């Protein structure tokens, strides 16, 4: 009798659906017989400028040590992070940092450290898909509070917190909606969350936000010991391929997170490139400025096409496909024209598509393809 290995898998894994990433350029090129250079990918919120030249130089220099294991403690990167993230108001110490193979790693660590089989996590409707994935893996249940105007309804999330709740996931700004929470909204919420419940504040798009009322989560760490912040080098820092992100928390929580961290989870190139990228303020400033211009380019086009969209402070925007057409239909027709965007039906937004802000030329290609598809 053949063994059914599905039945041997732990329960949390049996019902798991793998994360669906944006469609890779080479995959579409293979499927359609297109040249990769003719494809525009605006599906994964990557920085269209490419990496900082300083990051590239750091990678080159690192090649000489290819045969050595990386620094498992990430000493230099943590030092660079402490320099960059510390302010007069709050000093970040290396003991507060957990390095991840992407910030997704930290989401996995925190659930493995704090969530038992049968426990609950609280998220918002339209939240990042990875939260539910990491919770399910450990056998936890996800409770999602209905969104308010596509953003987090913190009162509704608070109402879902119960005895079994271990973590609340907050994304600021949220992906895929681009909505954001003010400092007052966030602190009013944090004041009411029981201290035994962890709050993971995912700030993957922190660097892009230019709003006076937008909070810097790190500044809240001294007030809320149950708070864990995650950030990443995948978005504004343009290093998605290297997989490097980090968590910032109290030293006590960081110590626990580091216990489940696989040895050498961040490679030497990622460590070196991330540290170098932190030193390139001009690169980040240019990226943010280009994003702002690209956002205007896209919203102007949506308005001209009569399409509604969700105002976004990230490097992406979700727009509504006219009722007469299906979003998947528009997605597939855009693919046929070599433009990759992101369907968000799995985020309970079946009539929407999310598009990342590209270069001016990429945005123009997307706009003309979309105009053709809709006409
Ligand atoms: C892109 C993204 C991340 C970052 O993922 P990495 O693993 O760091 O590449 C985390 N959270 C959200 C909401 C994101 O959109």
């Amino acid at each position: 009798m053949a063994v059914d290995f599905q039945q041997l898998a732990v329960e949390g894994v049996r019902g798991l659906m793998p994360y669906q990433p944006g469609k890779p350029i080479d995959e579409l090129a293979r499927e359609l017989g297109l040249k990769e250079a003719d494809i525009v990918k605006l599906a994964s919120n990557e920085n269209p400028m490419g990496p900082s030249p300083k990051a590239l130089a750091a990678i080159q220099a690192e090649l000489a040590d290819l045969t050595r294991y990386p620094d498992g403690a990430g000493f230099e990167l943590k030092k660079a992070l402490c320099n960059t993230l510390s302010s007069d108001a709050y000093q970040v110490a290396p003991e507060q940092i957990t390095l991840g193979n992407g910030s997704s790693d930290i989401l996995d660590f925190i659930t493995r450290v704090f969530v038992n089989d049968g426990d609950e996590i609280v998220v918002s409707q339209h939240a990042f898909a990875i939260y539910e994935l990491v919770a399910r893996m450990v056998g936890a249940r996800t409770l999602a509070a209905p969104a308010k105007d596509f953003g987090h309804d913190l009162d509704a999330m608070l109402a879902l917190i119960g005895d079994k709740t271990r973590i609340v996931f907050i994304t600021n700004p949220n992906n895929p909606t681009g909505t954001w929470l003010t400092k007052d909204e966030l602190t009013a919420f944090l004041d009411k969350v029981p201290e035994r419940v962890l709050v993971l504040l995912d700030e993957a798009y922190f660097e892009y936000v230019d709003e006076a009322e937008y909070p810097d989560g790190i500044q809240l760490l001294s007030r809320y010991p149950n708070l864990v912040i995650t950030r990443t080098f995948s978005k504004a820092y343009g290093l998605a391929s290297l997989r490097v992100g980090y968590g910032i928390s109290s030293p006590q929580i960081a110590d626990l997170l580091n216990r489940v961290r696989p040895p050498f989870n961040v490679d030497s190139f990622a460590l070196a490139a991330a540290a170098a990228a932190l030193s390139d303020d001009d690169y980040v400033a240019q990226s943010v400025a280009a994003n702002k211009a690209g956002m205007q380019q896209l919203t102007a086009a949506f308005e001209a096409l009569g399409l509604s969209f969700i105002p976004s402070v990230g490097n992406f925007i979700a727009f509504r496909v006219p009722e007469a057409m299906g979003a998947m239909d528009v997605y597939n027709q855009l693919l046929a024209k070599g433009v990759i965007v992101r369907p968000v039906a799995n985020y309970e937004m079946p009539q929407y598509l999310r598009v990342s802000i590209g270069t001016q030329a990429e945005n123009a290609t997307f706009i003309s393809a979309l105009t053709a598809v809709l006409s």
Side-chain angles (χ1 to χ4, degrees), residues 169-184:
F169 287 88
I170 305 269
T171 327
N172 200 27
N174 188 50
N175 169 24
T177 57
T179 51
W180 62 286
L181 296 162
T182 66
K183 183 177 178 186
D184 287 351

Side-chain angles (χ1 to χ4, degrees), residues 55-68:
L56 285 179
I59 290 169
Q60 283 287 344
E62 211 46 51
L63 276 170
D65 286 328
L66 189 62
T67 196
R68 303 273 173 213

Side-chain angles (χ1 to χ4, degrees), residues 46-53 55-56 235-239 283 287 359:
E46 295 142 342
N47 186 330
M49 280 180 40
S52 152
L56 285 179
K235 306 290 161 57
Y237 287 101
L239 299 174
Y283 167 82
S287 300
T359 61

Side-chain angles (χ1 to χ4, degrees), residues 102-104 128 131 171 175 202 204-205 232 234-235 243-244:
S103 58
S104 316
F128 191 41
Y131 308 149
T171 327
N175 169 24
D202 183 336
Y205 301 93
T232 181
S234 300
K235 306 290 161 57
R243 313 303 304 123
V244 50

Side-chain angles (χ1 to χ4, degrees), residues 136-213:
R136 273 189 180 223
M137 274 194 259
V138 294
R141 220 156 61 97
T142 305
L143 306 184
K148 195 167 65 186
D149 297 330
F150 289 100
H152 291 24
D153 180 342
L154 294 178
D155 289 333
M157 293 178 77
L158 198 63
L160 290 180
I161 296 177
D163 292 344
K164 290 185 173 172
T165 308
R166 294 288 168 267
I167 309 175
V168 181
F169 287 88
I170 305 269
T171 327
N172 200 27
N174 188 50
N175 169 24
T177 57
T179 51
W180 62 286
L181 296 162
T182 66
K183 183 177 178 186
D184 287 351
E185 289 168 333
L186 187 61
T187 55
F189 169 79
L190 291 169
D191 284 336
K192 291 179 220 145
V193 176
E195 200 172 301
R196 59 164 184 85
V197 175
L198 283 116
V199 176
L200 186 126
L201 181 61
D202 183 336
E203 295 185 335
Y205 301 93
F206 174 85
E207 296 80 8
Y208 284 110
V209 187
D210 181 23
E211 299 283 346
E213 301 301 315

Side-chain angles (χ1 to χ4, degrees), residues 18 25 32 38 49 69 79 86 116 131 139 158 220 222 225 228-229 231 253 291 310 312 322 368 372:
I25 291 176
L32 295 187
D38 293 333
M49 280 180 40
Y69 277 103
K79 193 168 100 180
S86 291
N116 288 295
Y131 308 149
L158 198 63
L220 303 176
S222 54
V228 177
I229 317 289
R231 292 193 190 164
I253 292 176
N291 186 65
I310 306 170
S312 167
S368 60

